Amino acid sequence: MQDIAEQLRAWHASGRAFAVATVVGVSGSAPRHPGAAMAVDADGEAVGSVSGGCVEGAVYELCRAAIADGEPVLERFGYSDEDAFAVGLTCGGALDVFVQPVLPGADAGLDTGIAHIAAGTAVALVRVIAGPGALVGAALAVTADGVTGALSPTPSTVGALERAVVVRARAMLEAGRTGRLVLGLDGRPCDEHGLGTVTCFVESYVPAPRMLVFGAIDFAAAVVRIGRFLGYRVTVCDARPVFATARRFPEADEVVVDWPHRYLDSQLGRIDGRTVLCVLTHDAKFDIPLLERALRLPVGYVGAMGSRRTHRDRVARLREAGLTEAELARLRSPIGLDLGSRTAEETAVSVAAEIIAHRRGGGCLPLSASDGPIHHDVSPTATEGDRSGEPEPHTHAA
């Protein structure tokens, strides 16, 4: 929903009714991950995507129907065979899609959740996607210090459930996780079907992850561009004011003139496990103090540019500075995957590829060289296990 949040806010501000279709479950080789969203307004305008094209037409019609009758619906789209007129996924996977009508001002949880998402502030948007009819479609907007919305007009009837949902949603927000919760009306986790089972979908929205690019060189400009393309908030830092200018890096979110290690020290409260550091200066007087700190921080990725000789000298200096072998093993140097890169743009692609592979657990081999899962961060077994305790959605399959 984050990708279409600006359009949703515009529709919301104008008082226009719309419907949001969200992927709430996947299995097999599904094209989009949970959280992918498509929205349709009362005039028929559509934004976003839930499948990359496979079932967009059917989902569009579901959104139109939801706007007309005001009823949410959970649909499953499974495999479609060679029948060109079948509604389903040709990739062999399955998608569960929750379609919810939105009438601005009618649901405080949805209103607040959309506002937070569009503003880029952290929020967990919780929606009941299956369970007792009166609860389906209910929404909560959960932040670190507050909750807006309710699961029922009479909170006393679901008090334990709502408290449990808020606690778990807040934990998922802290971890930046999106997924499903299956609970009983008493708030206890459930693993099997049963009367009173409630399934919630929790979408965690956190500020964009950060990419810190140290070294205002020509290669850095290409890394900045691809970092923005991947959704990072990108900062360029260099101690040399003649090179670190907004004019040279117009696509950076910010350009900072400071010694790299000193700037990193000032950012300790703004970095986390999603933060990536690209050290491109390959100058020991900048690199060593910076890497000595960076490799001891809980960031997601640290890569440094340089030749094999530069790398060996860099590691020796860091070892002399007291870094352990485990800390040194975190350093990706020379930075990037071996793609045979020559140009700045090609080098940026190799850096981006390594960051993605490190984050997602990719093997860095051609997909044609193996027959294993394409998406390394999605476990088919776990996904199927997540379905336990869920009422079956309506199904589209050939």
Side-chain angles (χ1 to χ4, degrees):
M1 197 182 293
Q2 202 160 26
D3 294 339
I4 59 175
E6 282 299 329
Q7 184 61 67
L8 298 189
R9 181 161 62 176
W11 288 346
H12 194 277
S14 68
R16 188 180 307 179
F18 56 93
V20 179
T22 307
V23 175
V24 297
V26 302
S27 65
S29 186
R32 301 294 304 274
H33 293 306
M38 172 182 176
V40 179
D41 77 346
D43 293 332
E45 181 182 355
V47 293
S49 170
V50 294
S51 72
C54 304
V55 298
E56 307 295 276
V59 172
Y60 178 87
E61 294 303 328
L62 288 173
C63 288
R64 297 280 283 172
I67 295 171
D69 62 26
E71 296 295 327
V73 63
L74 178 63
E75 293 276 348
R76 177 168 297 168
F77 294 90
Y79 174 69
S80 65
D81 59 18
E82 295 178 358
D83 178 358
F85 296 99
V87 176
L89 306 179
T90 57
C91 58
L95 290 178
D96 289 343
V97 179
F98 183 66
V99 180
Q100 181 166 28
V102 180
L103 183 62
D107 188 310
L110 277 176
D111 291 346
T112 302
I114 290 171
H116 276 295
I117 294 167
T121 53
V123 65
L125 178 59
V126 182
R127 288 180 288 165
V128 178
I129 62 173
L135 297 183
V136 175
L140 298 173
V142 180
T143 63
D145 53 7
V147 180
T148 305
L151 296 186
S152 170
T154 54
S156 60
T157 62
V158 292
L161 171 64
E162 189 165 304
R163 287 191 295 273
V165 168
V166 169
V167 169
R168 286 168 172 76
R170 194 162 279 147
M172 292 175 71
L173 176 62
E174 290 175 357
R177 289 183 52 238
T178 286
R180 289 174 293 187
L181 298 174
V182 183
L183 305 172
L185 285 173
D186 59 1
R188 296 182 182 181
C190 293
D191 295 323
E192 299 179 356
H193 294 303
L195 293 176
T197 297
V198 177
T199 302
C200 298
F201 185 66
V202 182
E203 299 170 82
S204 293
Y205 296 95
V206 291
R210 300 190 67 194
M211 174 182 282
L212 306 183
V213 179
F214 295 98
I217 63 175
D218 289 343
F219 283 97
V223 172
V224 167
R225 288 195 295 272
I226 205 163
R228 287 291 304 274
F229 176 75
L230 292 177
Y232 287 93
R233 174 179 172 79
V234 184
T235 298
V236 176
C237 176
D238 197 300
R240 301 164 297 181
V242 67
F243 296 116
T245 66
R247 186 170 184 175
R248 293 189 70 221
F249 301 97
E251 295 181 72
D253 291 286
E254 58 182 345
V255 179
V256 175
V257 178
D258 202 349
W259 277 76
H261 71 277
R262 189 164 59 191
Y263 176 71
L264 184 61
D265 286 343
S266 74
Q267 299 299 298
L268 298 184
R270 298 180 58 202
I271 59 178
D272 56 28
R274 303 177 304 147
T275 303
V276 303
L277 276 64
C278 299
V279 182
L280 309 182
T281 51
H282 51 84
D283 185 329
K285 68 176 178 289
F286 296 123
D287 291 358
I288 301 305
L290 172 63
L291 291 172
E292 184 180 348
R293 290 162 171 77
L295 294 172
R296 289 169 169 159
L297 293 175
V299 295
Y301 171 91
V302 181
M305 180 175 280
S307 66
R308 301 287 184 187
R309 180 177 179 179
T310 298
H311 170 69
R312 289 192 293 271
D313 178 67
R314 181 186 287 142
V315 168
R317 289 171 180 260
L318 290 171
R319 193 174 282 118
E320 289 175 2
L323 269 72
T324 66
E325 295 306 311
E327 290 166 340
L328 290 172
R330 298 183 59 215
L331 177 61
R332 301 285 172 152
S333 173
I335 194 171
L337 299 185
D338 182 7
L339 304 182
S341 305
R342 291 288 184 181
T343 68
E345 289 75 18
E346 291 172 347
T347 299
V349 170
S350 78
V351 172
E354 183 174 54
I355 291 171
I356 294 169
H358 182 67
R359 178 182 178 187
R360 300 297 191 187
C364 304
L365 295 173
L367 290 173
S368 60
S370 69
D371 57 2
I374 293 176
H375 305 296
H376 286 257
D377 59 336
V378 177
S379 167
T381 301
T383 302
E384 288 301 316
D386 286 346
R387 297 187 190 283
S388 62
E390 288 191 40
E392 288 294 312
H394 299 293
T395 302
H396 284 283

